[in-house]
Structures are given as structure tokens and as C-alpha cells.
Amino acid sequence: MNDKGIGQLSGLAGRLVAEGLISAEAATSAQREASMEQVPLVSFLVEKKNVDSFRLAAVASQEFGVPQFDASSFDLSALPVGLVEVGLVIKHHALPLYRRGNRLFIAVSDPTNLAALDEIKFHTGVNTDAVLLEERALAAMISAWVETQDDLSDGLGDLDSDDLEGIDVSSGESTDNDDSNEAVDETPIVRFVNKVLIDAIKQGASDIHFEPYEHDYRVRFRTDGVLREMVKPPRNLSSRLAARLKVMSQMDISERRLPQDGRIQMKLSRNRAIDFRVNTLPTLFGEKIVLRILDPTSAQLGIDALGYEPEQKEMYLKTLNQPQGMILVTGPTGSGKTVSLYTGLNILNTPERNISTAEDPVEINLAGINQVHVNAKVGLNFAEALRSFLRQDPDVIMVGEIRDLETAEIAIKAAQTGHLVLSTLHTNSAAETVTRLLNMGVPAFNVASSVDLIIAQRLARRLCKECAVPADIPHETLLQEGFLEEQLADAAIMKAVGCSLCNDGYKGRVGVYEVVRITQKIASLIMEEGNSLQIQEAANAEGFHTLRQSALRKVAQGMTTLEEANRITVD
């Protein structure tokens, strides 16, 4: 081959001819056809098997002074997923490998592919540097990267375009570091997180769990009180998902060693917004993040939607209309105490009343009610908030939780001096609520004279009306479970089946309540410092239904199943 033939070729093609890897005629033809097909020359040569990809990469590295990259020692999970759009990577056959400060290193098989570097720099706002990777290895890595992106996009299935259009998610200022900037700019991560939040709202979930483990990552929803795995995004997205959620929650994105609390507000429309209470927890393999979904509409359901039996509803409403006294709601976390209290506050919320609440945290904003978020770090605890309330001419006071003797004493003082007080405790039954106050050190006389009503509650999964069928349970078994003979005469005991409209045969939840009014007999027993068993027996003698009895009534009415009653109560 003569020098004239080589001279007619430029760049990489000329160097390949000079090295004897390809003839001048073949190089000229390859340049022309690659240009017509709009593909890089290197990709064309490897695809047509004109040149060995390893030898081609070595020649290109020498020709252009671009460092050659060894893909065999690179961990694919370290690829910066989400920083560059899939379409851009495929268009330019160039893959972002890693980021160092404000420089992004791009793997290319053709060093003359300057358009790829310029366009990626334009879209990311990060300076780009090329590293050379032989064509076959680059194609394999791009394929793996695209598959990861597909996993991300397909995580929860397709959403309608309307689901993402117009959504406004509040976010705070993040710390100014590379990780935070990268996380904010990752459009696929943003869309994925939004899809998870929207899907949780659609399914009526109460909590979302983002959980990193050693070899995988999962997202779970708590729906109708039960956790279910929804999606398993790639494990290498763990830090990016955490960063995105922390930015949305106005947390310190650089703090990964300590738990943090934050809040997200997602505006679904002009008239509807959903709040998320967010908590991070450093675990062995990354930060677990749990979001509690706070839907303001749940506080406006009305008392008829909560599941109180007629006589229980009447007692609650009658006590709410008293000018003073105390109503206590008890139950474990997630049993619906907040909704019961907010429902009562909405009933009391009139222009004639001054209502103040101390909460940790404020879960749902209630218009017309003065809500205080207690903050122990600055000395604003429940007791301090209560003292301030009493100087603000209150009519109704709500304390998020009575945790200690100081708070209990101030709340009881308020109930005894012309104020209606609502609060919660974490106990299992109404009777145990009384003994809990006594064990705190509250004098028996103060408990007996100030507490008017105690509501213990649980949430049972409600049967799906579309697929529930009658349950075949022997009569003797039902009696052993606690049903009364008269209940079984017209009982509609059903079992869960499951269909496309529900979750394992259940859809929604219904409250199960034990509502105990402090009668003269129960008050006398409290004064004698009777134990919880004695108080429970007295309440039964007065005709107040236990949680177990209330649950069985829901079973007999066909609202839930015997299995669900057994899950939330004990005989």
C-alpha cells in the first residue's frame, strides 16, 4: 500500500491502515458506510468483523492519547445510574463510568466521538473526560446499564401520564456537595420515587418502607395494617434513593450516621395535598427510610365512618359535649387513635371554642385549631405546652400523649378547672389505662374525678364485598370463640377469598372499640386502687363491651373475619 492511499485517510482510519490492521480500500469503504449509517467507525468495524476490537482499542489509545480502561476490574454496580438519560447513552454509544468531583469520566470506543462528550456535559452540567474501552466490552456494559434503567422504570408498573403531571413535591435546601447535586439531578430516580409515593396513595397505604440489605433492596407498603413487598429496585440505587428522599424531606443529606426526621408535602391538585412524615435509620447496609402517609381527608371522615357501635358513638358524643373532663384514647401504634381524636376535635371545632393541641409531631393540619409541635430539644415538651395553653383562655385541649407524671398532673388539673381534655396513652385496654395512670403516681382521687371516658381501639381489616363468601365454621367452635347464642341466630359470618379489587380478600379497615364510661361504681373501685382485672370486671358488669366482644360483633355483622378478630384481640 502506498503513502498516497494512507494520506487520503484521516484520524483513526489512517492509523489502522498504517498499523496494517486494515487495507486502505477497506478503511475508505468503512468510513463511507459508517457515515451513511450514522454509527461510530469503531462500532462499524467491529460489527463487520473487519478489525479485532482489542487491537483496535490499543491503536486508538496510542493515536489520540486517551487512557485505555480495563473493564474486567470494574464493578458494574458502581455505574452512576440515572445521571444521563438512556436515549443519550444509546445515541452516542458512550457510557458514564464514574464521577470525581465536577468531572464525569465517559467510556467511549471511538475517541473522535467529541459530540458525545459535549452533549453529555450540556445535559449534566458536569465536565466530561473520555476513557477508551474496547467496543465489545463497552457494548456489554451499556446493555447492562440499560437493563438497570429498565428495572428502575418498570419498578411499579406503568402510571398514567396524568399521575405525574402537575405534581408538586416540596423540598428543602440540601447541603452543597457532589452527592446531593447528583441525587437531585437524577431524573429517573425522581420519577421512580414519585411513582412509589403515588402508588402508595392509590392503594391506601399508611406507611412506605425503603429497606437496604446486603444483596438486595426492597420497597414495602403497609396496606390495611399488613406489610407487603411491592418492588425490588437494584441494590446500587440505595444511596441515591436515600438522597432523593432526604432532599425532599429537608434533611441533611451528608448525615448518614444518625437518625433524622423530616416531612414531605405532595400536592396532587389545587385542592388536595398529602403529607408524609419521614424518618431515616442508619442500618448495617445503608439507611432505612420509613414514610408515614398523612391524608387530611382521613380526619374528616365523620364519626359514622369509624365503626363505633350505636351505644359507643352516643357515649363519645355525649362526653364531647361536656364543658369539662377528660377523654382518653388508648391502643398500640397504628390503631387509629389520632383519627378518633381528630374526629372529635372536628366535631368541637366551632367559632365559639378555643381549641389548642400539643402533638409530637403534628400529623394533620386542622383549620381553626391552634396546633403546637412539641420540641424537646428547645425545652418545649408536652408539660410546657400545656402550661402555656392554660394561660391562653382555652376551652378544649388535646395532648398528643401522656408520657410522664408531670404531663398527667397538668392535664388532670386542666380537666378539673373547666376544660375538656383529650389525650392518648399506650395501653392494651381501658382498665389498664386507669392502672397506668395510678402507676405513674397520679392520685387515685384525681383519676376518678377527672377521667370521664376511656376508648381502647384496634383496626380490623374490612372484608371485600365483591369476593367474600360464607364461612363454614362449626357452631360449637363459634361458641368457644366467645360468640353468644343469640348472636349466632342471625349472624353473617364470612371468610376472605381475594380478587382483583382487594388485598387477600380485604379492602380497607374498620375500627373495633372498647368504650368505657367512668361510672360511680368504677370510680369507687379506682378510689380503692383496684387492679385492672377488677376494673375490667366492673366495666363488664356495667354492660360495656370489651375489645374482643366488639370484634366478634363485627364478625357477626359480616364486616370482618374470625381470623382477623383473633389477630387483633385475645379471648
Short mmCIF file of all heavy atoms in Angstrom, two decimals, residues 271-296:
data_model
loop_
_atom_site.label_atom_id
_atom_site.label_comp_id
_atom_site.label_asym_id
_atom_site.label_seq_id
_atom_site.Cartn_x
_atom_site.Cartn_y
_atom_site.Cartn_z
N ASN A 271 -56.56 21.45 45.18
CA ASN A 271 -57.33 21.33 46.41
C ASN A 271 -56.94 20.14 47.28
O ASN A 271 -57.56 19.91 48.32
CB ASN A 271 -58.83 21.23 46.08
CG ASN A 271 -59.34 22.44 45.33
OD1 ASN A 271 -58.98 23.56 45.66
ND2 ASN A 271 -60.16 22.22 44.31
N ARG A 272 -55.94 19.36 46.86
CA ARG A 272 -55.59 18.19 47.65
C ARG A 272 -54.08 18.04 47.77
O ARG A 272 -53.36 18.11 46.77
CB ARG A 272 -56.17 16.92 47.03
CG ARG A 272 -55.99 15.70 47.96
CD ARG A 272 -56.43 14.41 47.34
NE ARG A 272 -56.24 13.30 48.27
CZ ARG A 272 -56.23 12.02 47.92
NH1 ARG A 272 -56.41 11.66 46.67
NH2 ARG A 272 -56.05 11.08 48.83
N ALA A 273 -53.64 17.88 48.99
CA ALA A 273 -52.22 17.64 49.27
C ALA A 273 -52.11 16.52 50.28
O ALA A 273 -52.95 16.38 51.17
CB ALA A 273 -51.56 18.91 49.79
N ILE A 274 -51.06 15.72 50.12
CA ILE A 274 -50.79 14.62 51.04
C ILE A 274 -49.47 14.89 51.73
O ILE A 274 -48.48 15.26 51.10
CB ILE A 274 -50.71 13.27 50.29
CG1 ILE A 274 -52.01 12.98 49.54
CG2 ILE A 274 -50.39 12.14 51.26
CD1 ILE A 274 -53.19 12.68 50.42
N ASP A 275 -49.44 14.73 53.05
CA ASP A 275 -48.21 14.90 53.82
C ASP A 275 -47.61 13.54 54.12
O ASP A 275 -48.32 12.56 54.33
CB ASP A 275 -48.49 15.64 55.13
CG ASP A 275 -48.76 17.12 54.91
OD1 ASP A 275 -48.36 17.63 53.85
OD2 ASP A 275 -49.36 17.76 55.79
N PHE A 276 -46.29 13.51 54.16
CA PHE A 276 -45.55 12.30 54.54
C PHE A 276 -44.62 12.66 55.70
O PHE A 276 -43.84 13.61 55.60
CB PHE A 276 -44.70 11.77 53.38
CG PHE A 276 -45.49 11.38 52.17
CD1 PHE A 276 -45.86 12.33 51.22
CD2 PHE A 276 -45.84 10.06 51.94
CE1 PHE A 276 -46.58 11.98 50.09
CE2 PHE A 276 -46.56 9.69 50.82
CZ PHE A 276 -46.93 10.65 49.89
N ARG A 277 -44.72 11.92 56.80
CA ARG A 277 -43.77 12.07 57.90
C ARG A 277 -42.64 11.07 57.66
O ARG A 277 -42.88 9.87 57.53
CB ARG A 277 -44.47 11.79 59.23
CG ARG A 277 -43.65 12.21 60.44
CD ARG A 277 -44.43 11.97 61.72
NE ARG A 277 -44.48 10.55 62.04
CZ ARG A 277 -45.44 9.99 62.79
NH1 ARG A 277 -46.43 10.72 63.22
NH2 ARG A 277 -45.40 8.71 63.06
N VAL A 278 -41.41 11.56 57.60
CA VAL A 278 -40.27 10.76 57.14
C VAL A 278 -39.27 10.57 58.27
O VAL A 278 -38.94 11.51 58.99
CB VAL A 278 -39.58 11.43 55.93
CG1 VAL A 278 -38.52 10.53 55.34
CG2 VAL A 278 -40.61 11.83 54.88
N ASN A 279 -38.78 9.34 58.41
CA ASN A 279 -37.74 9.05 59.39
C ASN A 279 -36.67 8.18 58.75
O ASN A 279 -36.98 7.21 58.06
CB ASN A 279 -38.32 8.34 60.61
CG ASN A 279 -37.25 7.94 61.62
OD1 ASN A 279 -36.77 6.82 61.62
ND2 ASN A 279 -36.87 8.88 62.47
N THR A 280 -35.40 8.53 58.98
CA THR A 280 -34.29 7.71 58.49
C THR A 280 -33.64 6.99 59.66
O THR A 280 -33.60 7.51 60.78
CB THR A 280 -33.23 8.56 57.79
OG1 THR A 280 -32.55 9.37 58.76
CG2 THR A 280 -33.85 9.45 56.72
N LEU A 281 -33.12 5.79 59.38
CA LEU A 281 -32.45 5.00 60.40
C LEU A 281 -31.22 4.33 59.79
O LEU A 281 -31.36 3.51 58.87
CB LEU A 281 -33.40 3.94 60.95
CG LEU A 281 -32.81 3.01 62.02
CD1 LEU A 281 -32.51 3.79 63.30
CD2 LEU A 281 -33.77 1.86 62.32
N PRO A 282 -30.02 4.67 60.26
CA PRO A 282 -28.81 4.00 59.73
C PRO A 282 -28.82 2.52 60.11
O PRO A 282 -28.94 2.18 61.28
CB PRO A 282 -27.67 4.74 60.42
CG PRO A 282 -28.25 6.02 60.93
CD PRO A 282 -29.68 5.71 61.24
N THR A 283 -28.73 1.65 59.11
CA THR A 283 -28.67 0.21 59.36
C THR A 283 -27.33 -0.33 58.86
O THR A 283 -26.50 0.42 58.34
CB THR A 283 -29.82 -0.52 58.66
OG1 THR A 283 -29.63 -0.46 57.23
CG2 THR A 283 -31.17 0.08 59.01
N LEU A 284 -27.15 -1.62 58.97
CA LEU A 284 -25.87 -2.23 58.63
C LEU A 284 -25.50 -2.01 57.17
O LEU A 284 -24.33 -1.86 56.82
CB LEU A 284 -25.93 -3.74 58.93
CG LEU A 284 -24.62 -4.52 58.84
CD1 LEU A 284 -23.60 -3.96 59.83
CD2 LEU A 284 -24.87 -5.99 59.10
N PHE A 285 -26.51 -1.96 56.27
CA PHE A 285 -26.22 -1.87 54.83
C PHE A 285 -26.76 -0.60 54.19
O PHE A 285 -26.97 -0.55 52.98
CB PHE A 285 -26.78 -3.10 54.13
CG PHE A 285 -26.21 -4.39 54.64
CD1 PHE A 285 -26.96 -5.24 55.43
CD2 PHE A 285 -24.90 -4.73 54.37
CE1 PHE A 285 -26.43 -6.41 55.92
CE2 PHE A 285 -24.36 -5.91 54.84
CZ PHE A 285 -25.12 -6.76 55.63
N GLY A 286 -26.99 0.42 54.98
CA GLY A 286 -27.47 1.68 54.44
C GLY A 286 -28.59 2.24 55.29
O GLY A 286 -28.93 1.72 56.35
N GLU A 287 -29.19 3.32 54.81
CA GLU A 287 -30.25 3.99 55.56
C GLU A 287 -31.62 3.44 55.20
O GLU A 287 -32.02 3.48 54.04
CB GLU A 287 -30.20 5.49 55.28
CG GLU A 287 -29.01 6.19 55.90
CD GLU A 287 -29.00 7.67 55.59
OE1 GLU A 287 -28.68 8.02 54.44
OE2 GLU A 287 -29.33 8.46 56.46
N LYS A 288 -32.32 2.93 56.21
CA LYS A 288 -33.72 2.56 56.01
C LYS A 288 -34.55 3.81 56.23
O LYS A 288 -34.35 4.55 57.19
CB LYS A 288 -34.15 1.48 56.99
CG LYS A 288 -35.66 1.21 56.91
CD LYS A 288 -36.13 0.06 57.77
CE LYS A 288 -37.64 -0.09 57.63
NZ LYS A 288 -38.18 -1.26 58.36
N ILE A 289 -35.51 4.03 55.32
CA ILE A 289 -36.35 5.22 55.40
C ILE A 289 -37.81 4.78 55.41
O ILE A 289 -38.24 4.00 54.55
CB ILE A 289 -36.08 6.17 54.22
CG1 ILE A 289 -34.60 6.58 54.22
CG2 ILE A 289 -36.98 7.39 54.29
CD1 ILE A 289 -34.22 7.53 53.11
N VAL A 290 -38.56 5.29 56.39
CA VAL A 290 -39.98 4.97 56.50
C VAL A 290 -40.78 6.26 56.38
O VAL A 290 -40.47 7.26 57.04
CB VAL A 290 -40.30 4.27 57.83
CG1 VAL A 290 -41.80 4.04 57.97
CG2 VAL A 290 -39.55 2.94 57.93
N LEU A 291 -41.80 6.22 55.54
CA LEU A 291 -42.68 7.36 55.35
C LEU A 291 -44.06 7.01 55.89
O LEU A 291 -44.66 6.00 55.47
CB LEU A 291 -42.81 7.74 53.87
CG LEU A 291 -41.62 8.44 53.20
CD1 LEU A 291 -40.46 7.48 52.98
CD2 LEU A 291 -42.07 9.04 51.85
N ARG A 292 -44.58 7.80 56.81
CA ARG A 292 -45.96 7.66 57.28
C ARG A 292 -46.84 8.61 56.45
O ARG A 292 -46.56 9.80 56.38
CB ARG A 292 -46.05 7.99 58.77
CG ARG A 292 -47.46 8.19 59.32
CD ARG A 292 -48.32 6.94 59.26
NE ARG A 292 -47.76 5.83 59.98
CZ ARG A 292 -47.99 5.60 61.28
NH1 ARG A 292 -48.73 6.43 61.99
NH2 ARG A 292 -47.47 4.54 61.86
N ILE A 293 -47.86 8.06 55.81
CA ILE A 293 -48.72 8.86 54.94
C ILE A 293 -49.81 9.49 55.78
O ILE A 293 -50.56 8.81 56.48
CB ILE A 293 -49.33 7.98 53.83
CG1 ILE A 293 -48.22 7.34 53.00
CG2 ILE A 293 -50.25 8.81 52.94
CD1 ILE A 293 -48.71 6.37 51.96
N LEU A 294 -49.90 10.82 55.71
CA LEU A 294 -50.87 11.58 56.49
C LEU A 294 -51.85 12.24 55.54
O LEU A 294 -51.53 13.27 54.94
CB LEU A 294 -50.16 12.63 57.35
CG LEU A 294 -49.00 12.10 58.22
CD1 LEU A 294 -48.25 13.26 58.86
CD2 LEU A 294 -49.51 11.14 59.27
N ASP A 295 -53.02 11.64 55.39
CA ASP A 295 -54.02 12.16 54.47
C ASP A 295 -55.02 13.00 55.25
O ASP A 295 -55.74 12.46 56.10
CB ASP A 295 -54.74 11.00 53.77
CG ASP A 295 -55.66 11.48 52.66
OD1 ASP A 295 -55.88 12.71 52.56
OD2 ASP A 295 -56.16 10.64 51.90
N PRO A 296 -55.09 14.32 55.03
CA PRO A 296 -56.02 15.16 55.78
C PRO A 296 -57.48 14.72 55.67
O PRO A 296 -58.27 14.97 56.57
CB PRO A 296 -55.83 16.55 55.15
CG PRO A 296 -54.47 16.51 54.55
CD PRO A 296 -54.28 15.10 54.08
#
